[in-house]
Amino acid sequence: MTDTPTLPDYLRPGLDLVFVGINPGAYSASVGKYFATPQNRFWSALNRSGLAERNDLGPGDEAWLFEHRAIGFTDVVKRASNSASSLRATDFRAWAPLTREKLLKASPLVVCFNGITGYKWFLQYAEGRKQHDVPLGEQPDRLGGSRVFVAPNPSPANATYSLDDIAGWYTRLADLVEQARAGRDG
């Protein structure tokens, strides 16, 4: 579906958590690393949250997280762009149902959408329903057997939330993942 570089999915059955971005940034796709733009706050917030049990992670460590912490990565739309604002309805119509199928197949304990907007677009184009009010945090809906969580978008374009805010939401996400693990194991 795309001739331009994109990012690979880090998906398989047995994952505890999958982060879902809106789409790869052009720079991230060109270097082949998730959240690679230096101004993106994903890695800093993740390091502060305790979610990965390490505090020195950065772009390129998605493979380590996948192998050693059962954390995966994908995007609602796999077409890279300089800004998510350049995406169109046709992109979501084409990609969101495919992403849904991949997530259902992987069936992680928790799916975390990075950003309310990405989750709303996913709901509209993958689930066929518009939802106007989406709060941050755990959602009432499930995706197959996966719990769903929405965190603030760590993009530097999202100035509404500070690094501390995003890290706080990832700490809540870590608590949810632990609850889901306890439910699975207990």
Side-chain angles (χ1 to χ4, degrees):
M1 290 188 119
T2 182
D3 294 332
T4 58
T6 191
L7 291 171
D9 288 325
Y10 286 87
L11 295 173
R12 64 171 160 77
L15 294 172
D16 291 342
L17 171 64
V18 172
F19 283 105
V20 182
I22 296 173
N23 74 309
Y27 178 75
S28 291
S30 72
V31 299
K33 299 174 182 178
Y34 277 82
F35 305 105
T37 304
Q39 298 82 10
N40 192 295
R41 298 165 295 168
F42 175 81
W43 294 105
S44 296
L46 185 70
N47 288 331
R48 289 184 183 193
S49 73
L51 181 63
E53 300 172 16
R54 274 181 55 188
N55 63 1
D56 62 346
L57 297 167
D61 284 326
E62 56 272 17
W64 185 88
L65 288 168
F66 185 67
E67 292 299 322
H68 299 283
R69 292 294 180 259
I71 296 175
F73 294 83
T74 192
D75 302 285
V76 177
V77 172
K78 292 306 282 184
R79 181 174 74 79
S81 68
N82 286 323
S83 170
S85 65
S86 70
L87 297 175
R88 301 292 172 244
T90 56
D91 293 312
F92 291 99
R93 217 174 274 118
W95 288 101
L98 298 174
T99 299
R100 180 182 184 277
E101 291 307 312
K102 291 187 281 187
L103 290 169
L104 288 171
K105 185 176 179 182
S107 191
L109 293 176
V110 179
V111 173
C112 176
F113 287 85
N114 275 316
I116 291 171
T117 301
Y119 183 56
K120 284 177 157 182
W121 287 338
F122 178 84
L123 287 174
Q124 182 174 347
Y125 292 100
E127 301 284 339
R129 59 188 173 93
K130 285 188 176 186
Q131 190 162 336
H132 299 287
D133 296 322
V134 172
L136 292 172
E138 186 175 8
Q139 302 301 301
D141 298 324
R142 299 278 193 264
L143 181 58
S146 303
R147 294 166 91 163
V148 177
F149 189 92
V150 176
N153 189 330
S155 166
N158 180 12
T160 304
Y161 296 96
S162 70
L163 175 58
D164 288 338
D165 293 334
I166 298 166
W169 284 105
Y170 286 167
T171 299
R172 291 180 185 121
L173 173 61
D175 293 342
L176 180 63
V177 171
E178 282 304 313
Q179 289 173 11
R181 282 184 190 137
R184 172 191 66 198
D185 298 338

